[in-house]
Amino acid sequence: MDAATPPDLDAVLRALADGNRRAILAVIRTEPRPVGVVAEQVGLSQQVTSHHLGVLRSAGLATGTREGTRHLFAVDTDGLAAVRSYLDGFWPARLSALKAAVESQAGGERG
């Protein structure tokens, strides 16, 4: 995925639905790591870990860079921002409903 293409929310949510991928994101959250280290940390083979990293990259949740002969993976926050933006859209409606409920309850207590 290039920088100009926004992450596809459905692809991001599908990628996050897998527990192994969430575990991989936790490992690469703080610093870029090679596949071997990621695989060891999550208890998967390098081949399976590479597959999951490919899904995460396609969804816009991970990036890969070369450092010499090593291929390092890190979290790409663009995919996470897409999910956050989607979820943030729910809060105004929920806050309005809460405000209406509190005002309704307060009005009933005065009367």
Side-chain angles (χ1 to χ4, degrees):
M1 175 181 311
D2 67 47
T5 306
D8 173 31
L9 179 61
D10 289 337
V12 173
L13 292 173
R14 278 191 299 276
L16 290 173
D18 186 283
N20 287 324
R21 293 185 196 125
R22 291 191 307 274
I24 289 169
L25 286 173
V27 171
I28 63 174
R29 167 195 249 155
T30 57
E31 65 182 285
R33 301 197 189 241
V35 175
V37 170
V38 176
E40 184 178 309
Q41 294 262 329
V42 296
L44 298 172
S45 71
Q46 285 193 20
Q47 183 178 4
V48 170
T49 302
S50 291
H51 167 75
H52 286 303
L53 283 164
V55 172
L56 291 168
R57 286 181 70 186
S58 294
L61 291 166
T63 62
T65 57
R66 290 247 179 236
E67 185 179 273
T69 58
R70 299 186 326 161
H71 198 165
L72 302 175
F73 293 90
V75 168
D76 183 344
T77 56
D78 288 347
L80 296 173
V83 174
R84 182 175 185 165
S85 176
Y86 171 73
L87 294 175
D88 282 350
F90 288 95
W91 297 121
R94 296 299 303 155
L95 290 175
S96 295
L98 176 61
K99 178 182 178 205
V102 169
E103 288 173 349
S104 173
Q105 186 179 20
E109 291 175 0
R110 285 189 223 138

